Amino acid sequence: MTASITPCCASRPDRLRGRLRAALAALLLVVLALASPLAAADDATITGAEIVADDGSYVLNADIDFELNPRLADAVTRGVSLYFVAEVQIERPRWYWFNATVVDRQLNYRLYYHAITRSYRLSIGRFHQNFDSLEAAVRTMQRIRNWQVANGDELQAGVSHQVSLRFRLDTSQLPKPFQVTALGSRDWTLASDWVRWTFLPGIPAFR
């Protein structure tokens, strides 16, 4: 007769190893969830930009390549306003300290669907325009033209300045329930990387 012995329960070291593996797996899931928005953050690309002198001031022109994913497009059509922002910073180098920030400005966008007129309304600062299609409104956002970013006396002539520009969806202005939904969601992440270039006032340096 052959006898066999089956343990009724796992040993303490085995239980500890099992718990450790479960904890590591849970930690990995959290890391992947947090990394997902970062992986999708580069959904917009600034394909060209310049700052030029214009009648005593400096204006910025830029082209941005991006599309609204199905979730964002559906939200607009259902009446949710989407907010976008273009941010520009201009710094003047200082040999004795950190760069001096001489310009830090934003251009704000609001895109929403007007049910009564059955049109898409785009607000850029104080300017408003209606469009028959969402695609037409997005095309307008893709082109920044004659955005006054500095007065003539804000930039020192003959001195190189460092310009930084980016474009992004501003989820902080969404209704509270959508702000919660946007946390950790790739569908609600749309942003370009910062684009940086050096220029002398009035001379374009990035195209």
Side-chain angles (χ1 to χ4, degrees):
M1 180 177 67
T2 302
S4 63
I5 300 176
T6 303
C8 63
C9 60
S11 64
R12 182 177 181 83
D14 290 339
R15 291 199 302 271
L16 291 176
R17 283 193 292 269
R19 292 174 181 174
L20 180 59
R21 285 194 295 268
L24 290 175
L27 179 60
L28 179 60
L29 290 176
V30 172
V31 171
L32 290 176
L34 293 176
S36 295
L38 297 178
D42 192 17
D43 292 334
T45 303
I46 298 175
T47 59
E50 65 177 2
I51 291 180
V52 296
D54 180 58
D55 193 22
S57 63
Y58 292 97
V59 299
L60 184 145
N61 302 317
D63 295 304
I64 309 164
D65 183 18
F66 74 94
E67 294 182 359
L68 299 185
N69 62 47
R71 175 65 63 84
L72 296 178
D74 182 67
V76 173
T77 303
R78 293 177 180 272
V80 178
S81 294
L82 296 184
Y83 297 87
F84 299 84
V85 59
E87 302 171 275
V88 63
Q89 297 175 355
I90 303 178
E91 299 178 332
R92 184 172 60 248
R94 293 186 293 192
W95 64 269
Y96 59 90
W97 196 241
F98 298 109
N99 292 350
T101 300
V102 293
V103 171
D104 187 357
R105 297 187 181 177
Q106 296 184 345
L107 184 61
N108 297 298
Y109 301 78
R110 181 191 177 197
L111 176 63
Y112 61 101
Y113 181 69
H114 197 283
I116 296 178
T117 60
R118 296 184 179 180
S119 62
Y120 293 89
R121 188 171 179 84
L122 177 63
S123 299
I124 306 176
R126 298 179 180 179
F127 175 77
H128 309 280
Q129 189 173 357
N130 292 329
F131 298 88
D132 294 332
S133 67
L134 180 59
E135 292 76 13
V138 170
R139 283 196 299 270
T140 298
M141 285 197 296
Q142 292 174 335
R143 291 168 53 86
I144 298 177
R145 293 295 182 269
N146 298 318
W147 174 23
Q148 183 176 332
V149 294
N151 296 321
D153 57 358
E154 289 184 276
L155 306 182
Q156 187 173 344
V159 176
S160 295
H161 291 69
Q162 181 74 32
V163 184
S164 301
L165 174 68
R166 74 169 175 175
F167 178 86
R168 62 182 175 85
L169 172 68
D170 186 2
T171 56
S172 68
Q173 297 193 61
L174 292 170
K176 292 298 183 182
F178 287 93
Q179 291 186 29
V180 175
T181 302
L183 290 175
S185 173
R186 299 178 62 178
D187 291 336
W188 290 89
T189 302
L190 192 156
S192 74
D193 290 330
W194 283 99
V195 168
R196 294 179 172 87
W197 73 97
T198 301
F199 85 108
L200 289 173
I203 301 177
F206 172 75
R207 290 181 180 275

